Structures are given as structure tokens and as C-alpha cells.
Amino acid sequence: ASLRRGMKSCRHRQVYLQLVVNNYKPSLQPVHLQKFAMELTTGRHVRLFAEDVLVLIDPVLCELIVDNLISNAFVHGHPNDPDVEFRAMLRPMLTAEENRRHNNNAPGERLFSGTSDPIVLDGNDPRSSLQRMRLTLLVSNAKNPARREVTEDYVKDVVSGKAVKGPSTSAMSDHIGLQHSFMAADTLGMTLSLNQRAQRVTAKLEGDVVITTQPVTAVHRSAEVDLQAWPKDLKIHCIDDSAPARRLLFHNLTSWAATSNVRTYGQNEGEAVRFIEDTVNDADIAILDQHLEYGGEANILGTDLVAELVARRFEGLICMRSANVADEDVRAYKTAGAHCVFGKDILMKDMVRQMKQDYLQRSFMTTPASVHLADSLSSEALQYVASSSLDTADNIAVLEC
């Protein structure tokens, strides 16, 4: 859990820079609220209350804000027992009649009033049955009795950078995280507040969202293939300059991808050459880190290796796995020839599942990378995957050299 949070911090650092220069464009995505809350609190002693519902939010900015609020609750809370609690709640924004009008909205009706681009529905979009709600994310903690009271003036000073550290202020605190949180909330068109009642401090992030009962995959993804069609013992080659990352990949791929044919590379610069040769000649899937750093000029970009694989006519699935997954990074990976991109902060089980999905979809849009794929498919699965793939052509990068 701590490792994942560290990887998220790398991604947050890029977001901070974009926020400061007013260059971040919010992106609404379907998020399972309960799962979102659980991932933020894993490995932390936090009481959690979260509703089991799908919401359309910007997960990156919301995660950045809540992660900062939870961290602050531990750093600034009671030194013996901060008693941190996180609640993710929804309440109706509109009357029943108003909600019915939204559910019967005409094509092109706008459903989001924040500063990000609104969702524009066409008449056949599965999001036609959306409901507008008020989302409230609360993080509270027991107050540190040695710290000053949290007043409206104090919060203004913190946000403006004028707050002076007191003798009880944590040495780790520079208030930057809270300043960025307020900036992120403003970018989302949401409100963030911090107040104290009796001996409890509460931070509240609140804003209008839309929810849906449709599965997440029905909102932004095309029909899923039958994952039972996944063939056993595919050959997966991975390159990463981090020894822990290589061990993590090997363990999780052999555990979740039904294969013992996982090879890892990246211990030194020379292994990059061997990775290319071995992958072109004998691999079904390639997974690459973007920044392979060995000191001095011995640094290699994963995108350069991806381009080399494409030039050598590698026919398998090419995946980038990087801590850098801002929009411009993903575009660079796809331009180089990567078929899918995974952030290093996502759960490995989820990454493997999506990798399976992308591999099976691609296998029926291009020449299969492995002859034993077709042998492992039942006729029913083959018919289902082939038919559902017809709707996904626009979402799959097909490279021809």
C-alpha cells in the first residue's frame, strides 16, 4: 500500500505542475466510489464509510485532494490517536421531477456545471439514465490539543501561504499540500473547506456529480471479450530498471496471467538490447517502463524501445507501465506504438485483467502473435469475441509498417 501511494505521489507531482500553470484539463471518468475510497485508505488506520455507487468524477484530482487530506489528518491530528475517519456520501441535488427530466434529456444536453468540459450525451449513449447528485467527501480527525484552533482566518492564511509555523507544527508540514488541494478543488468546480467543531477537525470536499447504474465498462469501454478465452502460458517479457518493480511484475504475472513464461530485463543497459532481440523472436506481450536510468548517458527511453519493436515488426501486445501517465505522456507512448498504458499506481490484478482484455481484442483485429491462441478458444468464445471486436476498432491502435 505504501509503495502504491509513493507511485501515486509521482503522478501527483506532474498534476501539481499543471495546476500551478493553469494547464490541467479535468477528465470525468466512471469511478466506483466505494473502491476509490478503499484504495485511498488501504494500509492506513482509517474508519471508512462509502456508498456503493458509480460516479463520474476526475479520479486524479479527487484522489490528490483526498490523499492530501488524509495525510494531513495523521500529521496534524492528535499525536496519540488521530482517530481519522473518511466518509464518501451522496445526496439528491434535484427533485424527482427534475431528475426525470434529466433522465429523458435530449441529445446534446449538458449535465455538468463545473469548470471541466461538460458531458454531452447522444441519444444512444448508455449514460442516458444518469442522475445528478451532490457528492460530499469528508475527512475528519481528533484535534491535536497543542495546535491552534482551526478558524476561517487561519485557513485563509494557509491557502495564501501566509500561515506562520507554531512550535507544535509538524516539521514535515509546509502547507503546500493543502494549497494544492484548494487549487485542485477550484479546478474541478468543487468547494473545499476546513473547520473545527469542539475537538474535531473536518475537511469537506463537495460538488455536483452525476451517477449511473450502468457498469463502468458500459460508459467508456466497448463490450468486453470473454476472459475465459485467455490462453495459458503466454510469453511475457518485461523491462524495468527497478529490481523491486521487476520482482513485482514477475510475481503478479505468474500469479494472475496463468503463465510461467515471464522474463524480466533491465538490470543494466546491455539488457535492453537483449530484451529487443528476445521479444521480437519469442514473446507474445511486452511490458516496458518509460525511464530506464543507469547513470550518466546510459539512460534509455521506453518509447525508443517501443519504436524499435514496431520497426522490427513485433506482432504482440505492447504495454507501457510507467509512473508518468499524464495526457501528454500517454499520447507519446501511443505515438511510439504502444497499444495500452498502465500507471504504476494501479493494482497489479487490475492491470493484468486489462492486459488480458487488450490482448484478446487485439488478437482479433490483427495477426495473432501466438499460434496457440486460437487453439485455446471454444467456438462460442471465438464467435463472441469476433463480433464484439467489430465495435472496438476505433479504440484499438493498429500499427502497420
Side-chain angles (χ1 to χ4, degrees), residues 85-273:
E85 179 179 287
F86 176 35
R87 289 178 175 266
M89 305 172 293
L90 288 160
R91 58 183 173 85
M93 272 292 298
L94 307 177
T95 65
E97 176 59 31
E98 289 171 325
N99 270 322
R100 277 194 293 274
R101 287 204 299 270
H102 272 280
N103 291 340
N104 296 323
N105 48 17
E109 180 175 359
R110 298 184 170 214
L111 287 181
F112 187 74
S113 59
T115 57
S116 64
D117 287 345
I119 302 170
V120 179
L121 304 182
D122 68 33
N124 298 318
D125 196 300
R127 288 173 288 183
S128 295
S129 58
L130 293 173
Q131 184 181 17
R132 192 169 185 173
M133 303 285 282
R134 172 57 61 102
L135 173 66
T136 302
L137 303 177
L138 291 174
V139 178
S140 65
N141 62 273
K143 181 184 181 295
N144 183 338
R147 289 181 58 82
R148 61 179 291 184
E149 183 178 355
V150 178
T151 63
E152 185 177 347
D153 289 339
Y154 172 72
V155 174
K156 288 180 179 178
D157 287 344
V158 168
V159 174
S160 65
K162 298 178 181 178
V164 179
K165 285 188 178 183
S168 61
T169 303
S170 169
M172 296 185 292
S173 175
D174 55 10
H175 299 141
I176 292 295
L178 198 56
Q179 293 168 27
H180 286 152
S181 295
F182 274 89
M183 193 182 301
D186 185 62
T187 300
L188 289 173
M190 302 177 78
T191 60
L192 178 61
S193 62
L194 185 66
N195 61 72
Q196 177 184 334
R197 288 188 178 180
Q199 296 304 307
R200 198 144 189 93
V201 177
T202 300
K204 178 169 72 173
L205 176 68
E206 197 166 43
D208 299 357
V209 298
V210 288
I211 66 170
T212 178
T213 56
Q214 299 286 348
V216 171
T217 53
V219 179
H220 281 308
R221 296 196 56 81
S222 52
E224 289 195 0
V225 297
D226 182 3
L227 293 185
Q228 292 183 351
W230 175 255
K232 293 183 178 180
D233 290 324
L234 287 182
K235 297 175 181 177
I236 305 176
H237 292 185
C238 315
I239 185 165
D240 198 299
D241 61 345
S242 164
R246 293 194 297 270
R247 290 194 295 269
L248 189 69
L249 283 164
F250 181 86
H251 171 75
N252 283 280
L253 289 169
T254 53
S255 298
W256 300 107
T259 181
S260 58
N261 296 320
V262 177
R263 299 177 65 176
T264 60
Y265 304 77
Q267 186 173 357
N268 53 57
E269 183 183 9
E271 289 201 356
V273 176

Side-chain angles (χ1 to χ4, degrees), residues 295-361:
E297 298 181 358
N299 296 325
I300 300 170
L301 292 178
T303 43
D304 290 340
L305 299 182
V306 169
E308 179 68 15
L309 289 174
V310 173
R312 297 281 296 274
R313 296 184 180 273
F314 174 63
E315 295 181 337
L317 182 72
I318 302 175
C319 309
M320 289 296 297
R321 180 175 180 268
S322 174
N324 304 309
V325 288
D327 290 344
E328 59 268 27
D329 296 314
V330 173
R331 283 194 295 270
Y333 304 151
K334 294 292 184 70
T335 300
H339 305 121
C340 49
V341 179
F342 306 114
K344 286 191 173 182
D345 57 328
I346 71 170
L347 295 175
M348 290 297 294
K349 184 177 180 181
D350 292 342
M351 187 205 82
V352 173
R353 179 181 175 82
Q354 188 57 55
M355 180 188 73
K356 291 179 178 180
Q357 175 88 17
D358 292 334
Y359 179 83
L360 290 171
Q361 285 179 333

